């Protein structure tokens, strides 16, 4: 069985995420965070690293989705 750790985010962000994931396949903020982190790690592992441009593109997408300000 997998072991877990806790990641803290501001409550206002958590509330925004909860609103954003309504009607999606994500059942919780934790599901979304796991998905996003896995995506970033997989991209990193495939390419041997993320360029500044790739990181900024991911950040821009998260801003567009409302996950980042």
């Amino acid at each position: 069985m997998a072991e877990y750790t806790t990641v803290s985010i501001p409550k206002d962000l958590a509330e925004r995420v909860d609103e954003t994931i309504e009607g999606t396949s994500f059942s919780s903020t934790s599901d979304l965070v796991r998905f996003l982190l896995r995506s970033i790690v997989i991209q990193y592992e495939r390419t041997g690293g993320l360029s500044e441009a790739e990181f900024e593109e991911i950040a821009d997408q998260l801003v567009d989705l409302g996950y980042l300000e």
Side-chain angles (χ1 to χ4, degrees):
M1 183 174 215
E3 292 185 41
Y4 291 87
T5 189
T6 301
V7 175
S8 299
I9 61 172
K11 285 188 179 193
D12 62 328
L13 177 58
E15 290 168 1
R16 290 173 58 199
V17 171
D18 287 342
E19 292 171 7
T20 303
I21 64 174
E22 284 182 23
T24 70
S25 61
F26 298 108
S27 61
S28 67
T29 299
S30 292
D31 284 347
L32 177 65
V33 170
R34 277 190 295 272
F35 172 79
L36 293 171
L37 290 176
R38 278 189 189 116
S39 298
I40 292 168
V41 168
I42 288 168
Q43 177 77 13
Y44 180 85
E45 289 173 342
R46 283 184 184 159
T47 62
L50 289 177
S51 70
E52 186 67 27
E54 290 170 320
F55 185 83
E56 287 178 13
E57 181 180 338
I58 292 168
D60 288 344
Q61 291 172 0
L62 293 174
V63 168
D64 290 345
L65 293 169
Y67 301 126
L68 298 176
E69 295 180 2

